[in-house]
Amino acid sequence: MKEEIEKELNREERVFNEIKAKIGPKWQVKPSSQLNGKYRNDLKTIVTFLNQAAQSNSKLQKQIRDEAELFKDLDKTRGQLSDALPKCDKQNENQQAEKLKQLLDQLSTCIAQRDELKQEYSRQADIMDITSLLVAKETEMSDEKNADKGDFDLRAATTGALNEIENKIKDLNTAQEKLLNDITKINQEFVKLKGSNPTQMQRETFIHSLNQACEKFNKCQQHLKDGLRFYCDLITDYITPLQSVCVFFFF
């Protein structure tokens, strides 16, 4: 294409010079060599872009060839992949996982109960009008003995319910600490059990390989899409206008 366009531009300039030589000074048209400067620059730009694209294409082709074996698994059906996935005995793992699940459920329940108690504590504190209780008690008390007794009853009335809630929260905090210790222990056993299972390691290797294949395939696919978009833009912005100019010159 480059040679064809250059040939047409050279031909146009040659014809221009022939006409100018015949007509002489009366031929005051701007020289074709100047008018064609933009088109020659566009042609150089196209060649530069195509050279860069060729290098990118070579790298992409090499990557696809290198990963061809890895990409084969992507052609398999879900059933074929399931059959190829190493099988292992899940009984022990499932037992540990079930224990861990139960402990986590208990922890969630413990946290939820504690949150409810905190809300109840706040509600009780808000509805207790200490000033009203003091006024009511002082009205009923006529001597020091009754005042002392009233003071005791007042403390009991204002703090009894709150103390009960505080004690429940403390018990839940203690239970939570024990649950966290148990969860840590069971989780360590679960991780150790998985790590010591050779079949499980083979499964993880297989899945990791499949994941790598997907990631690399998606990257290659994106590069191909970018390449197609590049060529479409190059044709639209440079090649088609340049071809149109050459056709306009001589047809």
Side-chain angles (χ1 to χ4, degrees):
M1 183 197 72
K2 174 178 178 293
E3 291 76 10
E4 180 182 349
I5 293 177
E6 284 183 336
K7 179 180 178 181
E8 295 298 332
L9 291 174
N10 292 335
R11 179 184 171 191
E12 193 275 335
E13 291 177 11
R14 185 176 67 254
V15 171
F16 175 89
N17 291 330
E18 290 174 355
I19 295 174
K20 182 178 181 180
K22 290 180 180 180
I23 297 178
K26 294 181 180 180
W27 185 254
Q28 297 297 322
V29 180
K30 192 173 184 178
S32 290
S33 58
Q34 295 182 23
L35 294 173
N36 292 342
K38 175 185 180 305
Y39 305 123
R40 292 188 182 278
N41 288 334
D42 287 348
L43 186 59
K44 290 180 181 179
T45 300
I46 292 172
V47 172
T48 300
F49 284 161
L50 289 176
N51 288 335
Q52 293 174 352
Q55 294 177 2
S56 298
N57 291 345
S58 297
K59 292 180 180 179
L60 183 58
Q61 289 174 350
K62 182 179 183 303
Q63 183 178 1
I64 293 175
R65 287 195 302 269
D66 292 344
E67 306 297 348
E69 190 67 27
L70 187 64
F71 290 160
K72 285 183 178 180
D73 284 336
L74 300 180
D75 286 332
K76 296 179 180 178
T77 64
R78 186 184 184 91
Q80 290 173 328
L81 290 174
S82 179
D83 293 339
L85 187 65
K87 305 296 187 296
C88 61
D89 183 11
K90 290 286 187 178
Q91 183 175 359
N92 291 334
E93 287 187 15
N94 289 340
Q95 290 177 353
Q96 295 297 97
E98 184 61 28
K99 290 180 181 178
L100 192 58
K101 179 180 179 300
Q102 291 176 359
L103 289 172
L104 290 172
D105 289 341
Q106 293 176 26
L107 179 62
S108 296
T109 301
C110 180
I111 293 174
Q113 290 176 348
R114 187 179 59 192
D115 289 341
E116 290 178 0
L117 287 172
K118 286 182 178 180
Q119 292 178 2
E120 177 64 17
Y121 187 95
S122 178
R123 190 181 69 84
Q124 289 287 348
D126 289 340
I127 64 176
M128 284 183 178
D129 189 341
I130 305 300
T131 303
S132 297
L133 288 173
L134 281 171
V135 172
K137 289 297 179 181
E138 287 177 355
T139 302
E140 297 174 0
M141 297 171 188
S142 58
D143 54 32
E144 184 177 352
K145 181 177 180 180
N146 288 336
D148 292 338
K149 181 64 169 61
D151 186 50
F152 173 78
D153 291 339
L154 177 60
R155 287 197 302 271
T158 56
T159 62
L162 297 180
N163 286 338
E164 182 179 355
I165 295 175
E166 287 177 355
N167 290 333
K168 289 181 179 180
I169 291 176
K170 289 179 181 178
D171 292 341
L172 287 173
N173 286 337
T174 302
Q176 176 180 318
E177 184 177 356
K178 183 178 183 304
L179 284 170
L180 289 173
N181 291 334
D182 292 342
I183 288 172
T184 300
K185 180 181 177 181
I186 295 297
N187 184 63
Q188 289 174 345
E189 293 176 357
F190 179 71
V191 172
K192 182 178 179 180
L193 183 62
K194 289 190 65 174
S196 62
N197 190 333
T199 306
Q200 179 63 32
M201 296 176 66
Q202 293 173 6
R203 286 171 60 88
E204 292 178 357
T205 300
F206 180 86
I207 294 173
H208 178 68
S209 175
L210 193 61
N211 183 59
Q212 277 190 320
C214 290
E215 290 181 355
K216 291 182 178 180
F217 179 83
N218 288 336
K219 286 183 179 179
C220 289
Q221 187 180 51
Q222 186 59 49
H223 289 327
L224 287 172
K225 290 181 179 179
D226 292 341
L228 289 174
R229 185 163 52 251
F230 162 79
Y231 285 116
C232 288
D233 292 343
L234 186 65
I235 291 173
T236 302
D237 297 337
Y238 288 96
I239 296 178
T240 299
L242 199 55
Q243 288 177 331
S244 300
V245 169
C246 291
V247 172
F248 173 77
F249 281 160
F250 300 104
F251 295 96

